[in-house]
PDB file of all heavy atoms in Angstrom:
ATOM      1  N   LEU A 168      -1.224  21.342 -19.550  1.00  0.00           N
ATOM      2  CA  LEU A 168      -2.353  20.819 -20.321  1.00  0.00           C
ATOM      3  C   LEU A 168      -1.930  20.325 -21.698  1.00  0.00           C
ATOM      4  O   LEU A 168      -2.045  19.143 -22.011  1.00  0.00           O
ATOM      5  CB  LEU A 168      -3.430  21.891 -20.455  1.00  0.00           C
ATOM      6  CG  LEU A 168      -4.655  21.517 -21.310  1.00  0.00           C
ATOM      7  CD1 LEU A 168      -5.390  20.336 -20.685  1.00  0.00           C
ATOM      8  CD2 LEU A 168      -5.593  22.707 -21.469  1.00  0.00           C
ATOM      9  N   LEU A 169      -1.426  21.234 -22.520  1.00  0.00           N
ATOM     10  CA  LEU A 169      -1.165  20.886 -23.918  1.00  0.00           C
ATOM     11  C   LEU A 169      -0.109  19.791 -24.054  1.00  0.00           C
ATOM     12  O   LEU A 169      -0.232  18.921 -24.922  1.00  0.00           O
ATOM     13  CB  LEU A 169      -0.735  22.133 -24.698  1.00  0.00           C
ATOM     14  CG  LEU A 169      -1.792  23.231 -24.836  1.00  0.00           C
ATOM     15  CD1 LEU A 169      -1.250  24.405 -25.643  1.00  0.00           C
ATOM     16  CD2 LEU A 169      -3.052  22.674 -25.499  1.00  0.00           C
ATOM     17  N   ALA A 170       0.912  19.826 -23.206  1.00  0.00           N
ATOM     18  CA  ALA A 170       1.951  18.796 -23.289  1.00  0.00           C
ATOM     19  C   ALA A 170       1.368  17.409 -23.025  1.00  0.00           C
ATOM     20  O   ALA A 170       1.742  16.431 -23.692  1.00  0.00           O
ATOM     21  CB  ALA A 170       3.073  19.094 -22.297  1.00  0.00           C
ATOM     22  N   TYR A 171       0.430  17.322 -22.093  1.00  0.00           N
ATOM     23  CA  TYR A 171      -0.193  16.033 -21.792  1.00  0.00           C
ATOM     24  C   TYR A 171      -1.142  15.608 -22.909  1.00  0.00           C
ATOM     25  O   TYR A 171      -1.277  14.409 -23.194  1.00  0.00           O
ATOM     26  CB  TYR A 171      -0.924  16.100 -20.461  1.00  0.00           C
ATOM     27  CG  TYR A 171       0.007  16.232 -19.283  1.00  0.00           C
ATOM     28  CD1 TYR A 171       0.099  17.428 -18.573  1.00  0.00           C
ATOM     29  CD2 TYR A 171       0.820  15.184 -18.881  1.00  0.00           C
ATOM     30  CE1 TYR A 171       0.961  17.562 -17.500  1.00  0.00           C
ATOM     31  CE2 TYR A 171       1.685  15.301 -17.817  1.00  0.00           C
ATOM     32  CZ  TYR A 171       1.746  16.496 -17.126  1.00  0.00           C
ATOM     33  OH  TYR A 171       2.614  16.629 -16.076  1.00  0.00           O
ATOM     34  N   VAL A 172      -1.802  16.579 -23.534  1.00  0.00           N
ATOM     35  CA  VAL A 172      -2.664  16.259 -24.681  1.00  0.00           C
ATOM     36  C   VAL A 172      -1.824  15.699 -25.825  1.00  0.00           C
ATOM     37  O   VAL A 172      -2.194  14.693 -26.454  1.00  0.00           O
ATOM     38  CB  VAL A 172      -3.431  17.514 -25.136  1.00  0.00           C
ATOM     39  CG1 VAL A 172      -4.170  17.246 -26.449  1.00  0.00           C
ATOM     40  CG2 VAL A 172      -4.422  17.947 -24.062  1.00  0.00           C
ATOM     41  N   LEU A 173      -0.697  16.339 -26.104  1.00  0.00           N
ATOM     42  CA  LEU A 173       0.189  15.855 -27.169  1.00  0.00           C
ATOM     43  C   LEU A 173       0.745  14.474 -26.832  1.00  0.00           C
ATOM     44  O   LEU A 173       0.817  13.598 -27.706  1.00  0.00           O
ATOM     45  CB  LEU A 173       1.341  16.847 -27.365  1.00  0.00           C
ATOM     46  CG  LEU A 173       0.961  18.212 -27.934  1.00  0.00           C
ATOM     47  CD1 LEU A 173       2.173  19.138 -27.931  1.00  0.00           C
ATOM     48  CD2 LEU A 173       0.407  18.073 -29.350  1.00  0.00           C
ATOM     49  N   MET A 174       1.100  14.271 -25.593  1.00  0.00           N
ATOM     50  CA  MET A 174       1.605  12.967 -25.170  1.00  0.00           C
ATOM     51  C   MET A 174       0.533  11.890 -25.329  1.00  0.00           C
ATOM     52  O   MET A 174       0.806  10.786 -25.820  1.00  0.00           O
ATOM     53  CB  MET A 174       2.076  13.030 -23.718  1.00  0.00           C
ATOM     54  CG  MET A 174       2.778  11.779 -23.240  1.00  0.00           C
ATOM     55  SD  MET A 174       3.319  11.903 -21.506  1.00  0.00           S
ATOM     56  CE  MET A 174       4.435  13.302 -21.627  1.00  0.00           C
ATOM     57  N   GLY A 175      -0.699  12.218 -24.936  1.00  0.00           N
ATOM     58  CA  GLY A 175      -1.801  11.267 -25.084  1.00  0.00           C
ATOM     59  C   GLY A 175      -2.096  10.966 -26.540  1.00  0.00           C
ATOM     60  O   GLY A 175      -2.377   9.819 -26.909  1.00  0.00           O
ATOM     61  N   ALA A 176      -2.018  12.008 -27.392  1.00  0.00           N
ATOM     62  CA  ALA A 176      -2.251  11.800 -28.823  1.00  0.00           C
ATOM     63  C   ALA A 176      -1.189  10.906 -29.433  1.00  0.00           C
ATOM     64  O   ALA A 176      -1.489  10.028 -30.259  1.00  0.00           O
ATOM     65  CB  ALA A 176      -2.278  13.152 -29.536  1.00  0.00           C
ATOM     66  N   LEU A 177       0.065  11.088 -29.006  1.00  0.00           N
ATOM     67  CA  LEU A 177       1.150  10.252 -29.508  1.00  0.00           C
ATOM     68  C   LEU A 177       0.974   8.800 -29.062  1.00  0.00           C
ATOM     69  O   LEU A 177       1.133   7.867 -29.859  1.00  0.00           O
ATOM     70  CB  LEU A 177       2.488  10.800 -29.013  1.00  0.00           C
ATOM     71  CG  LEU A 177       3.746  10.026 -29.428  1.00  0.00           C
ATOM     72  CD1 LEU A 177       3.829   9.904 -30.942  1.00  0.00           C
ATOM     73  CD2 LEU A 177       4.989  10.711 -28.887  1.00  0.00           C
ATOM     74  N   MET A 178       0.624   8.602 -27.810  1.00  0.00           N
ATOM     75  CA  MET A 178       0.417   7.250 -27.301  1.00  0.00           C
ATOM     76  C   MET A 178      -0.749   6.574 -28.008  1.00  0.00           C
ATOM     77  O   MET A 178      -0.661   5.402 -28.396  1.00  0.00           O
ATOM     78  CB  MET A 178       0.160   7.299 -25.793  1.00  0.00           C
ATOM     79  CG  MET A 178       1.347   7.741 -24.971  1.00  0.00           C
ATOM     80  SD  MET A 178       0.970   7.892 -23.207  1.00  0.00           S
ATOM     81  CE  MET A 178       0.591   6.177 -22.802  1.00  0.00           C
ATOM     82  N   THR A 179      -1.845   7.313 -28.196  1.00  0.00           N
ATOM     83  CA  THR A 179      -3.018   6.743 -28.855  1.00  0.00           C
ATOM     84  C   THR A 179      -2.737   6.412 -30.305  1.00  0.00           C
ATOM     85  O   THR A 179      -3.112   5.338 -30.808  1.00  0.00           O
ATOM     86  CB  THR A 179      -4.201   7.722 -28.766  1.00  0.00           C
ATOM     87  OG1 THR A 179      -4.483   8.011 -27.395  1.00  0.00           O
ATOM     88  CG2 THR A 179      -5.443   7.135 -29.423  1.00  0.00           C
TER      89      THR A 179
END
Side-chain angles (χ1 to χ4, degrees):
L168 177 62
L169 295 181
Y171 291 109
V172 172
L173 292 174
M174 187 180 299
L177 179 56
M178 293 176 64
T179 302

